[in-house]
């Protein structure tokens, strides 16, 4: 009698399940933090070369140890809490901004199923049948960190930064969310694994070809949602000094810094999963596919930063509500008609 | 109806985009600026007062520190003023005048590069900043070869120049000027056609020609409001009347217009420099006024007259006749003028500087009240102020 192959779960084999889970979490967490650290190095290098400079060169070969040096430096800086600040939320804010972006990574599938003995282990930290909703929920949580940071610092620049951030994130989340709606209308599932499977047949099945508008909307709105140039309004340094993180120092500031890069990774990974087939193509190695796409997106974001000036706040809101939102809605309507007609 | 009140925010003197130590008290209604009050004086060094205790030659290095982005223009304005006071304006040798014009225009390019760099950086275009500074670095190298200093040149002298052009510098300037239009095209490629850039500066910081004249605004900021006024053409000095160049005027009255005026002025400056290089002929660089200009070193060592003149000029200086004059020059930022009063002693009785930036800054509240915080930054950028000149 051959034992039946089944998906590993807590009930089927608790020990193996826990072990597999810990390994997956460790690997994903480690990889993300590593990319966060080295994204800062890559950003400085890439922008440096685009601007006819060299970027960091002094710490080890071509400045490879720069992220570690930066981390050490920030770690030994004095941790200042302004006397007029609201202590609890001041300390809570940097965590609230970093944690949602890190846990969003949990639902990104990064490879085909693994078979150990009679058990199938999905290469994904958590398989959720409402994965896409989870992404939107976590993105919504991230706003609180920014708002709290801006408000609790009790500084006017921080406050304006925080207010800008909340308005910007809320309005762009809407358009980004509506852009994703068109995707799961086609895939008919909310699970990220299911969406990847629906695109896995060939490169031509990627949703970027079926939903080019949604893809562009999602990338631009994603950019706005994570406050990257040209939408880096909340921390516009030439206007608001440093926006919501003006008053932060030491490791708390480092957390904001990490969150920015973690957010970049998350948006890249989501865009890759939803529109570019995630891990499923074009090479046979799942993790390589996913990482390649993530890096391509991040390079694109860095490139934008080196090229574009900053959009003004009112123009940003205009863009979000009067252009992107109607476009996203129209896209949904058109997709609906096409889906009905094809079926 | 909710109870609303305005918020007062202190922008500067430590702020990334107030170009030094300008302090603005902004009254905000949300993000809209209701009132903007500039506070100045953080960089006051008392240059006007200091100059009353120095001989005319010793004042010259102080003028470098006025508009430190265009030191040669300040030198030029001061030197011309003293020459006018002495009545030796006609005796300046041709070569000295041509070199003065070449260096003044090179300085204009240098100053406009810093303006574009900072203006772009304030609006968020980081790369343009670095590109502009790359070219500026080249001009600073030329400065260094010419005068030994990169910023505070102190190169012109009453009666001419402090030293002749070193070998090969003419060619270096020519090569640089030949490459400059390509560089300006690069900046334009990154900015002019960019929708974000257009949206950020079109219709921002408008000031009508009438207001600009009332407030005493000069330079590119005035020409960007459609007033055709340029001292180089309308009140020429150092032989500017012999050069063929256009005065750039734009009717737009906004930041976008001023952006174009300054960019096109860089092309015009290149034209003037090339004409100057063609005019450059060997000859003396100092006027033949032994009681005013220092004699050559070999005369000091070998002749008794040279030694006496050298000693007198160094120890006492020269004594202009009693009188007062005003001389204005077209600085990259506007009209910089020197008003000198002489009581017959070797030191100026009074030196009053008409600083371009200080007077242009008066227009700032008018230009940014009613707009957004982000526009204040754009307006500071477009006015192209230098705090060294404002506070003196």
């Amino acid at each position: 009698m051959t034992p039946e192959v089944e998906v590993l779960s807590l009930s089927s084999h608790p020990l193996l399940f826990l072990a597999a889970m810990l390994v997956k979490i460790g690997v994903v967490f480690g990889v993300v933090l590593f990319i966060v650290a080295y994204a800062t190095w890559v950003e400085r290098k890439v922008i440096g070369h685009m601007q006819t400079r060299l970027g960091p060169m002094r710490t080890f070969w071509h400045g490879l140890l720069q992220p570690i040096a930066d981390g050490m430096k920030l770690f030994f800086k004095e941790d200042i809490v302004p006397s007029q600040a609201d202590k609890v939320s001041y300390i809570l804010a940097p965590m609230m901004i970093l944690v949602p972006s890190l846990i969003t990574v949990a639902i990104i599938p990064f490879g085909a199923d693994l078979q150990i003995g009679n058990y199938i282990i999905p290469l994904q930290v958590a398989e959720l049948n409402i994965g896409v909703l989870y992404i939107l929920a976590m993105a919504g949580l991230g706003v609180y960190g920014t708002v709290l940071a801006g408000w609790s610092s009790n500084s006017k620049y921080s406050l304006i930064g925080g207010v800008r951030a909340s308005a910007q994130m809320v309005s762009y989340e809407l358009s980004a969310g509506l852009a994703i709606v068109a995707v799961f209308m086609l895939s008919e599932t909310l699970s990220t694994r299911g969406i990847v499977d629906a695109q896995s047949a060939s490169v031509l099945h990627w949703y970027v070809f079926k939903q080019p508008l949604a893809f562009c909307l999602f990338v631009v709105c994603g950019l706005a949602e994570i406050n990257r140039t040209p939408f880096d309004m909340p921390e516009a340094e030439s206007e608001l000094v440093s926006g919501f993180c003006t008053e932060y120092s030491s490791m708390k500031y480092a957390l904001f810094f990490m969150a920015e890069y973690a957010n970049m990774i998350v948006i890249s990974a989501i865009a890759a999963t939803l529109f570019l087939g995630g891990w499923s193509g074009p090479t046979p190695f799942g993790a390589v596919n996913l990482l390649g796409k993530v890096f391509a997106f991040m390079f694109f974001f860095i490139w934008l930063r080196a090229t574009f000036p900053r959009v003004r706040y009112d123009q940003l809101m205009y863009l979000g509500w009067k252009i992107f939102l109607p476009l996203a809605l129209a896209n949904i309507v058109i997709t609906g008609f096409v889906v009905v007609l094809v079926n | 109806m909710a109870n609303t009140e305005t918020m007062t925010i202190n922008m500067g003197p430590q702020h990334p985009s107030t170009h030094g130590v300008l302090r603005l008290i902004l009254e905000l209604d949300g993000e809209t600026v209701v009132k903007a009050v500039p506070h100045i004086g953080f960089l006051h060094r008392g240059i006007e007062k200091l100059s009353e205790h120095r001989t005319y030659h010793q004042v010259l290095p102080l003028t470098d520190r006025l508009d430190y982005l265009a030191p040669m223009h300040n030198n030029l304005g001061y030197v011309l003023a003293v020459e006018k006071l002495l009545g030796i304006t006609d005796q300046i040798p041709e070569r000295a005048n041509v070199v003065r014009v070449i260096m003044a225009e090179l300085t204009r390019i240098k100053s406009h590069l810093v303006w574009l760099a900072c203006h772009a950086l304030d609006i968020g275009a980081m790369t343009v900043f670095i590109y502009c500074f790359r070219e500026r670095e080249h001009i600073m190298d030329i400065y260094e070869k010419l005068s030994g200093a990169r910023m505070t040149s102190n190169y012109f002298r009453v009666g001419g120049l402090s030293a002749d052009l070193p070998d090969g510098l003419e060619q270096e300037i020519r090569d640089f000027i030949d490459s400059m239009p390509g560089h300006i095209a690069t900046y334009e490629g990154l900015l002019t056609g960019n929708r974000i850039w257009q949206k950020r500066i079109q219709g921002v910081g408008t000031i009508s020609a009438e207001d600009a004249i009332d407030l005493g605004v000069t330079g590119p900021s005035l020409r960007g409001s459609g007033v055709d006024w340029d001292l180089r053409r309308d009140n020429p000095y150092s032989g500017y009347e012999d050069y063929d160049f256009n005065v750039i005027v734009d009717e737009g009255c906004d930041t976008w217009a001023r952006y174009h005026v300054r960019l096109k002025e860089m092309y015009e400056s290149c034209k003037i420099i090339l004409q100057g290089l063609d005019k450059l002929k060997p000859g003396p660089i100092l006027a033949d006024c032994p009681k005013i200009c220092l004699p050559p070193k070999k005369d000091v060592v070998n002749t008794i007259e040279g030694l006496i003149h050298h000693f007198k000029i160094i120890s006492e200086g020269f004594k202009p006749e009693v009188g007062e004059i005003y001389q204005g020059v077209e600085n990259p930022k506007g009209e910089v003028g020197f008003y000198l009063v002489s009581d017959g002693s070797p030191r100026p009785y009074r030196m009053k500087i008409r600083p371009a930036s200080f007077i242009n800054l008066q227009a700032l509240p008018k230009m940014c009240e009613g707009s957004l915080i982000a526009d204040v930054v754009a307006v500071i950028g477009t006015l192209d102020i230098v705090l060294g000149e404002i506070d003196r």
Side-chain angles (χ1 to χ4, degrees), chain B residues 26 98 144 158 177 197 235 261 265 289 318 356-357:
Chain B
L26 298 178
V98 175
E144 195 178 359
V158 177
I177 293 304
W197 177 257
N235 191 8
V261 167
E265 271 187 9
C289 307
F318 48 79
S357 300

Side-chain angles (χ1 to χ4, degrees), chain B residues 49-67:
Chain B
K49 190 69 189 166
L50 278 173
S51 63
E52 290 170 18
H53 298 272
R54 277 161 174 68
T55 64
Y56 284 95
H57 265 137
Q58 286 171 335
V59 174
L60 193 57
L62 294 177
T63 62
D64 286 335
R65 276 92 179 154
L66 285 170
D67 175 357

Side-chain angles (χ1 to χ4, degrees), chain B residues 355-371:
Chain B
S357 300
F358 174 69
I359 294 169
N360 288 353
L361 181 68
Q362 291 188 111
L364 182 117
K366 189 155 203 94
M367 285 159 85
C368 63
E369 274 168 17
S371 55

Side-chain angles (χ1 to χ4, degrees), chain B residues 180-251:
Chain B
M180 204 53 211
H183 292 311
I184 303 173
T186 310
Y187 317 142
E188 286 212 72
L190 275 165
L191 296 174
T192 307
N194 187 324
R195 283 281 288 165
I196 301 176
W197 177 257
Q198 292 172 357
K199 284 255 179 194
R200 279 304 300 274
I201 65 174
Q202 280 171 350
V204 167
T206 49
I207 183 158
S208 67
E210 207 169 48
D211 285 339
I213 292 172
D214 286 352
L215 287 164
V217 174
T218 46
S221 305
L222 180 68
R223 293 192 284 276
S225 288
V227 181
D228 192 4
W229 177 253
D230 189 324
L231 284 183
R232 290 177 294 171
R233 186 199 58 200
D234 300 319
N235 191 8
Y237 50 89
S238 292
Y240 262 113
E241 63 273 25
D242 302 332
Y243 295 84
D244 171 34
F245 64 97
N246 300 322
V247 174
I248 310 295
V249 179
D250 199 308
E251 303 281 338

Side-chain angles (χ1 to χ4, degrees), chain A residues 17-282:
Chain A
F17 177 79
L18 282 178
M21 212 57 186
L22 281 177
V23 170
K24 279 194 285 189
I25 291 172
V27 168
V28 170
F29 194 63
V31 167
V32 169
L33 284 189
F34 182 79
I35 300 176
V36 165
Y38 273 87
T40 62
W41 179 81
V42 171
E43 169 148 38
R44 291 169 68 175
K45 273 294 188 194
V46 168
I47 291 191
H49 283 276
M50 283 178 178
Q51 297 176 340
T52 66
R53 299 181 286 121
L54 289 172
M57 288 295 285
R58 296 302 170 101
T59 39
F60 196 52
W61 187 75
H62 282 261
L64 262 180
L65 292 183
Q66 191 65 40
I68 294 161
D70 287 343
M72 297 254 285
K73 188 198 95 170
L74 281 170
F75 192 76
F76 286 114
K77 286 279 168 187
E78 186 187 355
D79 192 4
I80 299 165
V81 180
S83 58
Q84 297 301 305
D86 185 297
K87 301 263 174 344
V88 178
S89 35
Y90 184 81
I91 293 166
L92 203 62
M95 305 176 201
M96 285 196 63
I97 207 166
L98 181 61
V99 169
S101 54
L102 284 182
I103 55 180
T104 314
V105 184
I107 55 143
I108 305 292
F110 54 90
D113 294 345
L114 207 65
Q115 195 171 357
I116 294 183
N118 298 325
Y119 298 108
I120 287 174
I121 304 173
L123 283 187
Q124 185 181 15
V125 174
E127 160 68 0
L128 284 179
N129 53 2
I130 51 155
V132 176
L133 278 183
Y134 174 82
I135 292 173
L136 294 176
M138 286 304 130
L141 271 184
V143 185
Y144 284 99
T146 320
V147 177
L148 275 183
W151 176 76
S152 66
S153 304
N154 213 345
S155 143
K156 288 169 182 171
Y157 284 114
S158 301
L159 182 67
I160 298 178
V163 171
R164 278 185 178 190
S166 52
Q168 176 181 340
M169 286 162 114
V170 166
S171 40
Y172 276 84
E173 221 172 270
L174 211 59
S175 308
L178 288 174
I180 300 181
V181 168
V183 168
F184 61 71
M185 282 168 80
L186 292 182
S187 67
E188 293 172 0
T189 169
L190 278 176
S191 136
T192 44
R193 177 150 288 259
I195 291 173
V196 171
D197 287 342
Q199 305 174 71
S200 62
S202 78
V203 172
L204 290 177
H205 283 74
W206 289 1
Y207 285 140
V208 64
F209 300 114
K210 291 182 187 163
Q211 290 288 353
L213 181 61
F215 174 70
C216 297
L217 279 175
F218 180 77
V219 172
V220 175
C221 296
L223 212 56
E225 208 187 314
I226 60 174
N227 307 328
R228 282 285 300 187
T229 318
F231 307 109
D232 55 345
M233 224 54 32
E235 45 189 320
E237 64 162 15
S238 59
E239 296 151 33
L240 299 181
V241 192
S242 247
F244 59 87
C245 49
T246 305
E247 304 292 333
Y248 281 88
S249 63
S250 186
M251 276 321 272
K252 293 203 194 77
Y253 174 74
L255 288 183
F256 282 113
F257 205 67
M258 285 165 70
E260 182 181 336
Y261 287 90
N263 275 324
M264 258 165 85
I265 296 171
V266 167
I267 288 288
S268 310
I270 295 172
T273 305
L274 297 185
F275 293 98
L276 296 181
W279 57 267
S280 68

Side-chain angles (χ1 to χ4, degrees), chain B residues 304-379:
Chain B
I304 186 69
E305 292 82 6
L307 185 66
I308 292 171
H309 287 318
H310 184 268
F311 179 75
K312 287 287 276 184
I313 294 171
I314 295 292
S315 62
E316 189 192 42
F318 48 79
K319 295 177 180 171
E321 283 175 24
V322 179
E324 51 190 81
I325 56 98
Y326 173 83
Q327 171 71 44
V329 291
E330 187 72 26
N331 186 283
K333 281 142 188 107
E335 177 180 348
V336 167
F338 289 85
Y339 174 65
L340 282 172
V341 180
S342 165
D343 59 353
S345 74
R347 296 174 181 78
Y349 176 74
R350 174 83 171 95
M351 180 172 86
K352 170 81 180 83
I353 302 164
R354 183 212 188 271
S357 300
F358 174 69
I359 294 169
N360 288 353
L361 181 68
Q362 291 188 111
L364 182 117
K366 189 155 203 94
M367 285 159 85
C368 63
E369 274 168 17
S371 55
L372 301 168
I373 309 179
D375 294 336
V376 174
V377 174
V379 168

Side-chain angles (χ1 to χ4, degrees), chain A residues 50 156 164 238-239 306 310, chain B residues 8 17 31 122-123 127 131:
Chain A
M50 283 178 178
K156 288 169 182 171
R164 278 185 178 190
S238 59
E239 296 151 33
R310 189 179 297 117
Chain B
T8 308
S17 56
E31 289 235 359
D122 288 346
I123 295 183
T127 305
Y131 286 177

